[in-house]
Amino acid sequence: MYNTEKTKSLQSTTAKWLAQDAGEGMDKNIQPGLEELRDILRFHEYRYYVLNNPLISDFEYDSLYKLLEKFEAEHPEAVTRDSPTQRVGAGLIKDFPKRQHLVPMLSLANSYNEEDLLDWDRKVRELSGLEEVEYCAEPKFDGASISLVYEDDHLERATTRGDGETGDEITANMRLVRSLPLSAAFSQYGMQQIEIRGEVLMNKNNFKKYNDKLAEEGLAPLANPRNAAAGSLRIKDSKEVGRRNLEAFLYHVSYHSGNAETQQLPEPETHAGMLNMLWELGFRSPKQEMKVVKGIKAVLKYIHEFEQQRDDLPYEIDGIVVKVNDLAMQDKLGMTSHHPRWAIAYKFKARQATSKLLGVEFQVGRTGAVTPVAKIAAVQVGGVTVTSISVHNEEYIREKDLKIGDAILIERSGDVIPQIVRSLPDQRTGTEAAIVFPKTCPVCDDELFKPEDEAVWRCVNINCKAQVVERIIHFVSKDAMDIRSFGEANVRRFYDAGFITDVPSIYHITADQLGSLDGFGERSVSNLLEAIEASKKQPLHRLIYGLGIRYVGETTAKALAQAVDNIFDLAKMSEEQLKQLDDVGVKVSKSIYEFFQNEDNVQMLSRLQDSGIVMEAKKQQRSGGTLEGQTFLFTGTLTKFKRSEAEEMVESFGGKILGGVSSKLNFLIVGEDAGSKLEKAKKIPAIKILSEEDFLKMTKT
Ligand code: IVH
């Protein structure tokens, strides 16, 4: 798609635009200028979303994108439908009209073992008259299938599979899958109208983040990335689709009609050739994953090798698809009424198993949420033994139709915690019992409450033992303050022994206390005290996360730590100011604000500070004059040095110049008559505002 030469030239164009002098004189020549800017944005989208190998930072991409938005707003007549700004449609989608596929979307015949595959190969050899067949093997992506139609090089339509004949048109949503090009030069191959099939997926990493977010909001997580992808196709708010970071692999050209006049390149004659063509046109096809081999034995080898890598892949696959490589031979073999004869899916062992729901226990979490946990008959799934499994809330239990005594289907995909897929009501005997929710806290017996807009019941007694203990467990946990060998069991033990009563008391545990417990020798006492001591120096984001503020997960905690100098800065911010920060929405800002309004919480922080816990964000030390990792912006008329010299100086010390004021900015250097940038920076407490003199001093220390 982009060779070395083209990549180099696009990079230098990028540098020119980032210096922001490229827009000058564009009024006369608006269209070529805009197209150049669009080209570099498309290139960087491709580097990021298709190759997973970006050449510029998100910030730089955003600033170029904003520049394009600005120019396009000034010249609406010059906007093209494949402009990177045209992915987001206007408003909410009302409905998804039914569309007929150009070619019915058949499914594949399945095979589960070597025997099935050998049988299939025997039939293919018989029908083709070949002694040995050339196959193309590729992953079977586990997502939601879609079909795309491009006409005259533009994405015309995206459709769900539906019943195979017709599906729902979801073009607006698929425009937000950023690895899908809005235009692609099919005309070079003499193709005017083309229908392509592929799979939309959410990669494991994004799936985990998505589930974490649901959990932070008290919602039930999804069982697997396939459900997450499938559930995302028909969302009515395209922007939400954009936020889910879906990806698409395209693996089959089902139809194309020609226009010989535009043809410059030969039409591919093999399936692998088609995957290469799609790749060359900027799509994510399994070009890198596929393998062309002769004979079924070599296919089996590929399957075994690929299955070994299954857990290491960034996305879920549920098998391998084997296709006859020669397209003319595919035509000759044709279809049965259900499946093509030229392809077969080899399915990997399922990561699902059936078990029995024996009973439900109710656990109280650190925020008081009462979570039902199902106890199930021990079963092996995806290599681990499962005996209990969260069933989240009443709505979830209703949705999955769960009763005590039910046979249930459970799944463990990738490294995700096991989930119940559904109950198997066919197997009921009539002895199953409904799951009854308690009215009072199972630990402190206080009455439970459920806010109307929430899914979970809560114990609101903040001194409830369960909550206190869970807050401490969270505080010492690996992703928070990471106090090694403290752990859940020890928290409970120390609490019961009266050594700890709340989070700050952790830092007052004595060697004598620990030594009085069975199994705590001198060595383990000193190890634990050392770990407690070491945790005092943890970076600020771990402390923020460890406080267990509702809706503040690790990502938000990092964004908060980035934005302030000191944890008490957060206490000084209004809800409105908090909302300005990266990764902080309405709900989160309200929750943070309320946390710091609570005098008990502020007092707890003071006590932690008195024990010597680091409360400051670790900004890079200025030793040896290095500005590594720091970001700068100059504004106003500079009198002590030239802007270009100063910027060079920053860069030569390893610092970075940003294009605008945002929470990512560390220092704003202000000359005379500074205007809006200074005003904006004053509203963000994390930005240090320096005079030219201050800046000079800084570069000399
Ligand atoms: S080829 C006419 N290739 O698996 C053949 N399908 O039941 C078109 N799938 O509906 C399908 N990865 O959603 C093909 N590399 C791949 C695939 C793949 C996943 C899905 C697809 C299809 C189902 C087969």
Side-chain angles (χ1 to χ4, degrees), residues 14 18 40-46 48-49 56-67 84-85 87 178:
T14 305
L18 279 174
I40 56 176
L41 281 166
R42 284 188 200 111
F43 166 67
H44 291 296
E45 284 184 350
Y46 178 78
Y48 190 96
Y49 293 104
I56 57 174
S57 67
D58 293 1
F59 181 80
E60 287 165 323
Y61 176 86
D62 289 345
S63 62
L64 292 174
Y65 185 91
K66 283 189 192 123
L67 206 57
T85 59
R87 288 191 181 269
R178 308 268 281 256

Side-chain angles (χ1 to χ4, degrees), residues 103-110 120 123-124 127 165 330-343:
V103 171
M105 283 176 84
L106 296 186
S107 61
L108 297 172
N110 286 327
W120 173 74
K123 262 182 242 148
V124 172
L127 290 170
E165 295 281 338
Q330 286 189 2
D331 273 349
K332 188 172 158 191
L333 293 167
M335 322 259 176
T336 70
S337 55
H338 302 294
H339 317 295
R341 286 196 192 89
W342 46 263

Side-chain angles (χ1 to χ4, degrees), residues 259-461:
N259 178 358
E261 274 170 36
T262 60
Q263 184 161 8
Q264 295 159 18
L265 297 166
E267 191 186 303
E269 290 176 0
T270 60
H271 172 70
M274 283 292 186
L275 296 184
N276 275 321
M277 174 188 82
L278 290 173
W279 182 265
E280 283 303 315
L281 291 173
F283 290 87
R284 222 172 147 192
S285 75
K287 170 190 150 92
Q288 287 163 321
E289 292 82 357
M290 71 173 182
K291 193 163 186 182
V292 176
V293 295
K294 285 206 173 6
I296 202 71
K297 284 267 153 57
V299 169
L300 290 173
K301 187 160 170 269
Y302 172 88
I303 289 176
H304 295 312
E305 282 167 8
F306 222 93
E307 190 163 12
Q308 304 281 314
Q309 299 175 34
R310 185 179 181 190
D311 285 332
D312 303 328
L313 295 174
Y315 46 81
E316 284 289 342
I317 64 171
D318 59 344
I320 297 292
V321 180
V322 189
K323 299 173 181 173
V324 171
N325 196 29
D326 181 355
L327 296 180
M329 185 53 73
Q330 286 189 2
D331 273 349
K332 188 172 158 191
L333 293 167
M335 322 259 176
T336 70
S337 55
H338 302 294
H339 317 295
R341 286 196 192 89
W342 46 263
I344 192 163
Y346 176 90
K347 301 266 268 188
F348 292 150
K349 252 215 284 338
R351 280 164 165 166
Q352 291 188 335
T354 52
S355 175
K356 189 172 176 184
L357 204 167
L358 303 175
V360 173
E361 283 178 5
F362 293 87
Q363 291 180 356
V364 185
R366 64 171 205 273
T367 60
V370 177
T371 313
V373 178
K375 299 288 150 188
I376 66 169
V379 65
Q380 283 268 333
V381 221
V384 298
T385 307
V386 184
T387 54
S388 73
I389 196 161
S390 173
V391 286
H392 311 292
N393 56 48
E394 278 179 307
E395 198 183 309
Y396 184 87
I397 291 172
R398 207 174 316 121
E399 239 169 50
K400 308 255 161 177
D401 186 18
L402 302 176
K403 287 196 159 73
I404 294 170
D406 264 344
I408 48 170
L409 182 63
I410 67 173
E411 171 168 325
R412 182 178 164 270
S413 61
D415 45 6
V416 176
I417 43 175
Q419 304 283 342
I420 296 184
V421 181
R422 59 191 164 88
S423 66
L424 304 167
D426 293 355
Q427 298 184 27
R428 283 188 183 149
T429 60
T431 56
E432 294 75 17
I435 298 168
V436 182
F437 260 69
K439 294 270 173 288
T440 56
C441 173
V443 177
C444 74
D445 218 28
D446 258 26
E447 199 184 339
L448 298 180
F449 290 93
K450 184 163 95 83
E452 237 174 57
D453 55 342
E454 286 188 20
V456 288
W457 287 91
R458 274 173 205 285
C459 167
V460 291
N461 167 17

